[in-house]
Amino acid sequence: MPHCLGIDIGGTNVKAALVSDEGTVAAFLLRAWSGGDPADAVAAAAGLVEELERPGGEARPNACGVGCAGLVDGARGVVRLSPNLPSWRDVELARLLSEALGARTLVENDANAAAYAEHRAGAARGAGNAAVLTIGTGVGGGLILGGRLYRGSHGFAGEVGHATIDLDGPACACGGTGCLERLVSADAIVARAAERARGGSSALAAAARAGALTAKDVGQAAAGGDAAALGVMEETGRLLGVGLANLVEILDLEVIVIGGGVASAGESLLSPARTEMAARVAGPPWRLPKVVPALLGETAGVVGAALLAAHHFRTPA
Amino acid sequence: MPHCLGIDIGGTNVKAALVSDEGTVAAFLLRAWSGGDPADAVAAAAGLVEELERPGGEARPNACGVGCAGLVDGARGVVRLSPNLPSWRDVELARLLSEALGARTLVENDANAAAYAEHRAGAARGAGNAAVLTIGTGVGGGLILGGRLYRGSHGFAGEVGHATIDLDGPACACGGTGCLERLVSADAIVARAAERARGGSSALAAAARAGALTAKDVGQAAAGGDAAALGVMEETGRLLGVGLANLVEILDLEVIVIGGGVASAGESLLSPARTEMAARVAGPPWRLPKVVPALLGETAGVVGAALLAAHHFRTPA
């Protein structure tokens, strides 16, 4: 079965995988990476690819897809700029990786790659119109419209995290106020939990006082039935639901997939999000999309990048 | 030159036009209509078509497009429901008009038809990705994505007016709060102007006290330099700009076209909208779409419906 290489270069780690043309991960490796110049990233990726075991000793795939945060010019294979990697400007990532790996390489925005993966091999499989949100330290998004990855006019589409839902909400680095990202990302959850736990005696309160509270802790406490944590996830889920309702009004989607670290909170987040979305969207209930957790987890980026490369390099024009 | 019939059935009037396959209006008629059952609408449309003068005595076109507010099932030619025409449920509008006119008939949502018209023959001509907003008593929207009319999964796409931008804003009939429509439609402008004019001695204040103020009055007063009216349009434009920024973040558009009665205020509305949009969208300035007035005015709906019919019935499958 033919395979492609999938690579994901983020602000904190580099991932590589060997992915079948159907989206199955044959091998996956992750290495922490503190950021740096493009040559470092390429060396880290090449090291991982060297380590990947190929099934049955198969030769190294001749096609590679790489996902990278930021503004990507896919046609030229260039990362124009990346908020997570501020020193990167007009990096010819496709050429650099192609030379290092001996494989034709395609570059895509990481949120787009993740969306494509969930569409082809995950929770949005078969959907004509879908949004895939990745909620962690930020809120990334990718759109599948008319069965295809939608990139917009300059490769910026899907920045759902920077759509305003609360005009009087907190200021965001993007220049807006009350952006969805400022209201539902990991930082917002931690701040909300610290506020609610203030003076309390729970484990959450102790962690908050020690400055050691994470959104994952809050999600796990909610899953364990902790009332304060459940309240935080309910409030966060409702705010997420406002953002989802906006996507539904504008795009009339079949499915919205929620992934990323924050999504590990599961139903304590998704259930109030669905309720709020439904309350805000007029019309018949069959208009509403399914809101489901992502299926591919931390491999979404590499799977999507590999599948995009498979499609690009193996489809006759 | 071949022509199509274009018809637009709204809550307050019926329009009909003879439109060339390039989008030129050869003849246009409008008749006030107070709503009613589908047979009334079809009779009114057929009456207008009878009156339309055909260039050079050309035979009646054999293809017709009709735009109608509400949820349209284009494949079946059915208007499923319409907020402006509450008695309409699953109306077979294509069949009824086809029988009355002797022309094959296609049904489309009216905002989608207007967007298609601006794309093919108006202010969004040539744009790959565009939004067309119609701001009047409500805020309608249609999307052109990837060079095609985007309808979404159930024909509901483009409901930009019901996306929330101000969570704590006024309640909307849709179930949401702080929807764009509640903040920038004609009613919002009148309310804002009445508030600002309270106790004043301007013509606006007198009209507001008499309950006779319209959004058009406010726009005209702004164009004439009236400070209070300019302030109202500035505030309204800034709120519109928040909604436009959301569209840019989500869809990365080339152009946003603003039409409808409120748009006749021109630059007093569009200039602050552009400023606010630019302030809220991070990234390089070339990322920003043009924000321009609609070109087709009250004929947009009939032109779009006719062009969609021409495309549908005259393009070989």
Side-chain angles (χ1 to χ4, degrees):
Chain A
M1 183 186 299
H3 285 76
C4 269
L5 291 168
I7 292 171
D8 189 340
I9 299 176
T12 55
N13 52 51
V14 175
K15 303 170 187 172
L18 205 56
V19 180
S20 80
D21 282 10
E22 287 72 43
T24 308
V25 176
F28 173 73
L29 290 168
L30 178 152
R31 179 174 293 166
W33 181 65
S34 58
D37 68 27
D40 293 337
V42 169
L48 289 179
V49 168
E50 204 56 49
E51 288 175 49
L52 286 172
E53 282 183 36
R54 284 177 282 282
E58 198 180 277
R60 178 180 293 181
N62 62 5
C64 173
V66 53
C68 186
L71 176 60
V72 167
D73 180 341
R76 289 169 53 228
V78 167
V79 178
R80 299 191 61 160
L81 51 92
S82 175
N84 295 332
L85 302 163
S87 69
W88 289 37
R89 286 273 158 176
D90 291 316
V91 173
E92 293 182 285
L93 189 59
R95 183 181 59 78
L96 295 171
L97 273 170
S98 175
E99 289 171 3
L101 302 175
R104 288 181 296 178
T105 301
L106 171 140
V107 186
E108 181 57 79
N109 168 273
D110 59 349
N112 283 350
Y116 189 74
E118 292 289 344
H119 173 59
R120 284 286 309 282
R125 197 162 182 164
N129 304 303
V132 178
L133 273 59
T134 304
I135 311 180
T137 52
V139 174
L143 300 174
I144 303 295
L145 302 180
R148 300 163 65 103
L149 182 61
Y150 176 79
R151 295 178 176 88
S153 294
H154 316 89
F156 275 117
E159 289 283 1
V160 178
H162 292 293
T164 296
I165 62 167
D166 184 9
L167 198 49
D168 300 318
C172 180
C174 75
T177 52
C179 296
L180 186 65
E181 176 166 306
R182 290 287 281 117
L183 300 172
V184 306
S185 64
D187 283 356
I189 290 171
V190 168
R192 213 165 272 140
E195 178 67 28
R196 288 197 184 223
R198 188 177 290 172
S201 59
S202 66
L204 281 187
R209 275 193 295 276
L213 191 62
T214 67
K216 196 173 175 185
D217 298 332
V218 182
Q220 285 177 345
D226 180 90
L230 279 167
V232 169
M233 296 317 296
E234 164 93 18
E235 186 178 346
T236 307
R238 286 197 170 266
L239 291 163
L240 175 59
V242 178
L244 302 189
N246 284 3
L247 287 177
V248 174
E249 294 287 6
I250 296 169
L251 291 173
D252 184 13
L253 303 168
E254 274 165 76
V255 60
I256 298 176
V257 177
I258 311 288
V262 166
S264 63
E267 285 303 304
S268 71
L269 179 77
L270 296 189
S271 175
R274 287 189 201 101
T275 303
E276 186 70 22
M277 177 185 78
R280 287 179 168 270
V281 175
W286 45 257
R287 169 183 190 182
L288 294 171
K290 289 184 289 185
V291 178
V292 296
L295 282 181
L296 298 176
E298 66 177 359
T299 66
V302 290
V303 168
L307 288 176
L308 281 162
H311 182 77
H312 184 76
F313 294 120
R314 293 183 181 156
T315 304
Chain B
M1 184 186 300
H3 285 76
C4 270
L5 291 168
I7 292 171
D8 189 340
I9 299 177
T12 55
N13 51 52
V14 175
K15 302 171 188 171
L18 206 56
V19 181
S20 80
D21 283 10
E22 287 72 45
T24 308
V25 176
F28 173 74
L29 289 168
L30 177 153
R31 179 173 295 167
W33 181 66
S34 58
D37 68 26
D40 293 337
V42 169
L48 289 178
V49 168
E50 205 56 48
E51 289 176 49
L52 286 173
E53 282 181 38
R54 285 179 281 283
E58 198 181 275
R60 177 179 292 180
N62 62 5
C64 172
V66 53
C68 186
L71 176 60
V72 167
D73 180 342
R76 290 168 54 229
V78 167
V79 179
R80 299 191 61 161
L81 50 91
S82 176
N84 295 332
L85 302 164
S87 70
W88 289 37
R89 286 275 158 175
D90 292 317
V91 172
E92 292 182 285
L93 189 59
R95 183 180 60 77
L96 295 172
L97 274 171
S98 174
E99 289 169 6
L101 302 175
R104 288 181 296 179
T105 301
L106 171 140
V107 186
E108 182 57 80
N109 169 274
D110 59 349
N112 284 350
Y116 189 74
E118 291 290 345
H119 173 60
R120 283 286 309 282
R125 198 164 182 161
N129 304 303
V132 178
L133 272 60
T134 305
I135 311 181
T137 53
V139 174
L143 301 174
I144 303 295
L145 302 180
R148 300 162 66 102
L149 181 60
Y150 175 79
R151 295 179 177 87
S153 294
H154 315 89
F156 275 117
E159 288 282 0
V160 178
H162 291 294
T164 296
I165 63 167
D166 183 9
L167 199 48
D168 300 318
C172 181
C174 74
T177 53
C179 296
L180 185 64
E181 176 166 304
R182 291 287 281 117
L183 300 171
V184 306
S185 63
D187 282 357
I189 290 170
V190 169
R192 212 165 272 138
E195 177 67 28
R196 289 196 185 223
R198 189 177 289 174
S201 59
S202 65
L204 279 188
R209 274 194 295 276
L213 192 61
T214 67
K216 196 173 175 184
D217 298 333
V218 182
Q220 285 176 345
D226 178 271
L230 279 168
V232 168
M233 296 317 296
E234 164 94 17
E235 186 179 346
T236 306
R238 287 198 169 264
L239 290 164
L240 175 59
V242 178
L244 302 189
N246 284 3
L247 286 177
V248 175
E249 295 287 6
I250 295 169
L251 290 174
D252 184 15
L253 303 167
E254 272 166 77
V255 60
I256 298 176
V257 177
I258 311 289
V262 166
S264 63
E267 284 303 303
S268 70
L269 179 76
L270 297 189
S271 176
R274 287 188 201 100
T275 303
E276 186 70 23
M277 177 185 78
R280 288 178 168 269
V281 175
W286 45 257
R287 169 184 187 180
L288 294 172
K290 288 184 291 185
V291 178
V292 296
L295 283 183
L296 298 177
E298 66 179 358
T299 65
V302 290
V303 168
L307 288 175
L308 282 162
H311 182 77
H312 184 74
F313 293 120
R314 292 180 182 157
T315 306

